[in-house]
DNA sequence: GCTCTTGATGTAACCGGTTACATGATCTTA
DNA sequence: TAAGATCATGTAACCGGTTACATCAAGAGC
């Protein structure tokens, strides 16, 4: 039977070694006030019984679990995977385990996910770009340290990490304008998603500064949105000469849609994304985008959380600026005649 | 102070509602043998105090944690992310949480990772293609259900999920042979990795069956290996007409290396991978590969584990066969003269 | 009216660790 | 040799829940 024999407890070990449970605990936790001979007996008994301490019981009496909760939106794609990788790196370096929870779209289930973490973790990292944190934290245990990552606006006095989406999007628009684009379409993310909204704000600011006209379509952050926008552009004979998508997956969709429609990138239309997922430099033409060091973001979240658990009281918001990565999809056009023109294509 | 006030306990609630802890517990767990008026009082007190149950204490007394441990190799790339996504889907459907642990290359740390899960999870999913499971489980708590995923050969009588790497690789070689390739190079994965070894076995079998000569290079499962093999081929004027890489990332590296060297794919050289990561259909030319439904693999692991936890005793090994996905990188050559020739290229 | 059943509620033991405090042995020191 | 200090070890309370069992009140049946 796999689960035939229950595991030995510390009392079993104590009995087997003919000592008290206190001594067993002391030996196993490496306290030095134990006679060597007794220490020996305990170790022998423990290995003989195959004793493995019960982490749950341990954390109950210590009021410390050495685990931290990670609450993420729908686990999807490379962003999430990179973030988790960074967290894992930092956490395992500090001897912490990660308890994962998926915060679905439904706020009620989200609250439930956070509640079930109480008494199981020492703190939490919460990333919820699509849910109002005030609502989320209203019915939550107090006294659990939390670090927010890229959350919607709120009134929580909590430590927080954010992307500077506005500056990033602004930099991209500036780049497109500097390379001669004038009809710049923004393919935005879903309504209510904080990253989507901020990137759109940055786009608007850049467009206004250049004295251009804003052109905005809404997407879903998925590849398909990009494809359909490209198809629509081709169908309607649009005069757009650059598409700035709110994330890389949509930008890639745009690339595929344009290729299928026979529209030259970057000669006719420039394309840019956001995130710099690994894919961005592998497709062809390679994609201009904004790089976020996602794994490092994850590491930093864990680091700040452990500081907080350790008693620090730093509630500041840390803003991380993305870096503009220029690749082939926004190269200046070879044909100088295009510069500034508004050619119609089919 | 974020963590100024400790959380209320069930005894606090009992005192506030002027009832016993037993009644509070009954109310909060939805037992029906409680007078409505009292039930009301308890709910009121609980919300007034912001009471959230302590999951650790609960699982200690219930001997059930509703969490399952997931032990994965170095969290890297799309494979891992898809697997975790599938597990999360199934787990949250069953009301389970996932406790993540990274099994690094070092077996000692791996054992430690498994030990710290005891008393914290109801069972574990272990994926360790690079570590000997016998060694791993030698000093482990008995009585904890475990499902192995893609592990090295062992003598563990445990339920297990595996990829049919051999059949997959064999199918790919057959496909390459059928489309006229004769000098087929296998870019294998690292020594000691079970997936790598099995894929190589499948390759060997296919090559032998076709009466061809095996050509093998070792790689690291990373893109760079592919690039350097492609460079080496071009440099040495190799007569290889197909490269079958042991995973997609290496295949993509090969594609990039060949493109840079000006070697036409698939006309001069066909390229194929293994895994069907999302990237495979996005690059150009699109990559022929073997599809594994990774997320489903993850779901299935959780499903089998919960069966096991529920008392089932099914120790069978489930073999999942990859599906051959033919795309552009292995299209038959347009120039029929190449068929069977061994042209040298620079 | 009295016993028996039924059902709500409370008391206290238990899950498996940790540790404050008590105990008692050994060693100093006068 | 007796008093005091030091140190290893054991006893039992505690962490925060759950629940077997005891208790007691109300209603049923005679």
């Amino acid at each position: 039977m796999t689960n035939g024999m229950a595991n030995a407890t510390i009392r079993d070990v104590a009995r087997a070694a003919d000592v008290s449970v206190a001594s067993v605990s002391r030996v196993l936790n490496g306290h030095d006030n134990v006679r060597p001979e007794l220490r020996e007996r305990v170790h022998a008994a423990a290995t003989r019984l195959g004793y493995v301490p019960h982490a749950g019981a341990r954390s109950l009496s210590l009021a410390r679990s050495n685990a931290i909760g990670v609450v993420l939106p729908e686990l999807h794609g490379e962003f999430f995977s990179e973030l988790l990788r960074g967290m894992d790196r930092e956490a395992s370096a500090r001897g912490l385990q990660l308890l994962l929870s998926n915060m679905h779209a439904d706020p009620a289930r989200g609250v439930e996910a956070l509640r079930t973490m109480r008494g199981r973790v020492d703190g939490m990292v919460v990333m919820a770009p699509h849910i109002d944190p005030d609502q989320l934290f209203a019915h939550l245990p107090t006294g659990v340290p939390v670090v927010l990552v890229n959350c919607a606006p709120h009134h929580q006095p909590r430590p927080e990490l954010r992307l500077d989406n506005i500056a990033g999007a602004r930099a991209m628009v500036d780049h497109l304008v500097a390379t001669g684009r004038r009809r710049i379409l923004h393919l935005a993310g879903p309504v209510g998603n904080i990253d989507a909204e901020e990137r759109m704000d940055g786009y608007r600011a850049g467009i206004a500064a250049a004295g251009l006209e804003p052109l905005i379509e809404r997407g879903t952050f998925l590849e398909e949105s990009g494809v359909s926008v490209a198809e629509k552009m081709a169908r309607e004979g649009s005069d757009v000469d650059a598409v700035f998508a709110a994330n890389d997956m949509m930008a890639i969709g745009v690339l595929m849609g344009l290729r299928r429609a026979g529209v030259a990138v970057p000669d006719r239309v420039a394309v840019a994304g956001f995130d710099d997922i690994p894919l961005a430099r592998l497709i062809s033409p390679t994609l201009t985008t904004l790089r976020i060091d996602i794994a490092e973001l994850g590491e930093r979240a864990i680091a700040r959380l452990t500081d907080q658990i350790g008693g620090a009281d730093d509630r500041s918001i840390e803003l991380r600026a993305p870096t503009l990565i220029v690749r082939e999809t926004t190269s200046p056009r070879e044909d100088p005649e295009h510069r500034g023109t508004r050619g119609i294509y089919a």
Side-chain angles (χ1 to χ4, degrees), chain A residues 6 15 89 100 109 160 164 171 199 215 258 290 338 341:
Chain A
R15 202 171 311 125
R89 197 154 55 199
L100 213 59
R109 288 187 64 188
E160 186 166 356
D164 195 343
R199 287 167 195 186
L215 303 167
L258 291 179
L290 289 153
H338 270 104
T341 65

Side-chain angles (χ1 to χ4, degrees), chain A residues 45-233:
Chain A
T47 56
R48 181 151 43 86
L49 296 180
Y51 173 70
V52 179
H54 189 289
R58 187 151 204 274
S59 67
L60 180 58
S61 78
L62 288 177
R64 185 88 152 75
S65 65
N66 288 311
I68 73 155
V70 175
V71 183
L72 298 174
E74 205 62 67
L75 317 176
H76 209 274
E78 309 216 23
F79 187 95
F80 142 77
S81 121
E82 280 295 294
L83 186 69
L84 202 54
R85 189 155 78 99
M87 292 192 180
D88 174 81
R89 197 154 55 199
E90 188 72 17
S92 66
R94 294 172 185 254
L96 300 170
Q97 284 180 303
L98 296 183
L99 187 64
L100 213 59
S101 215
N102 180 331
M103 165 149 316
H104 306 80
D106 177 13
R109 288 187 64 188
V111 168
E112 199 42 42
L114 293 190
R115 291 183 127 232
T116 55
M117 292 226 162
R118 135 101 168 135
R120 209 174 269 235
V121 300
D122 299 330
M124 303 192 289
V125 174
V126 176
M127 172 166 173
H130 60 303
I131 294 189
D132 174 17
D134 287 323
Q135 190 181 352
L136 209 58
F137 284 92
H139 304 99
L140 233 53
T142 63
V144 179
V146 173
V147 169
L148 301 176
V149 176
N150 251 36
C151 277
H154 58 258
H155 309 90
Q156 297 290 322
R158 310 216 183 239
E160 186 166 356
L161 263 56
R162 274 172 175 286
L163 296 183
D164 195 343
N165 286 306
I166 298 181
R170 174 65 195 268
M172 183 61 80
V173 173
D174 291 352
H175 161 67
L176 291 170
V177 169
T179 51
R181 311 289 170 167
R182 292 295 173 267
R183 299 286 293 165
I184 304 173
L185 172 70
H186 182 54
L187 174 48
V191 177
N193 181 299
I194 183 68
D195 291 315
E197 303 299 348
E198 289 184 354
R199 287 167 195 186
M200 190 166 77
D201 292 347
Y203 163 82
R204 283 212 152 94
I207 288 292
L212 299 175
E213 180 193 348
L215 303 167
I216 296 176
E217 293 271 350
R218 281 284 182 178
T220 59
F221 273 153
L222 300 176
E223 192 190 336
E224 289 75 41
S225 318
V227 174
S228 57
V229 161
E231 283 169 352
K232 185 174 163 206
M233 282 167 54

Side-chain angles (χ1 to χ4, degrees), chain A residues 31 159 190 203 249 260 279 314:
Chain A
H31 297 196
Y203 163 82
M249 281 316 292
R260 207 167 306 149
L279 198 40
D314 171 11

Side-chain angles (χ1 to χ4, degrees), chain A residues 230 234 254-265 267-269 345-346:
Chain A
V254 170
L255 282 179
M256 301 193 77
L258 291 179
R259 181 194 303 165
R260 207 167 306 149
V263 177
V265 174
D267 276 3
R268 282 285 187 82
V269 180
Y345 54 84

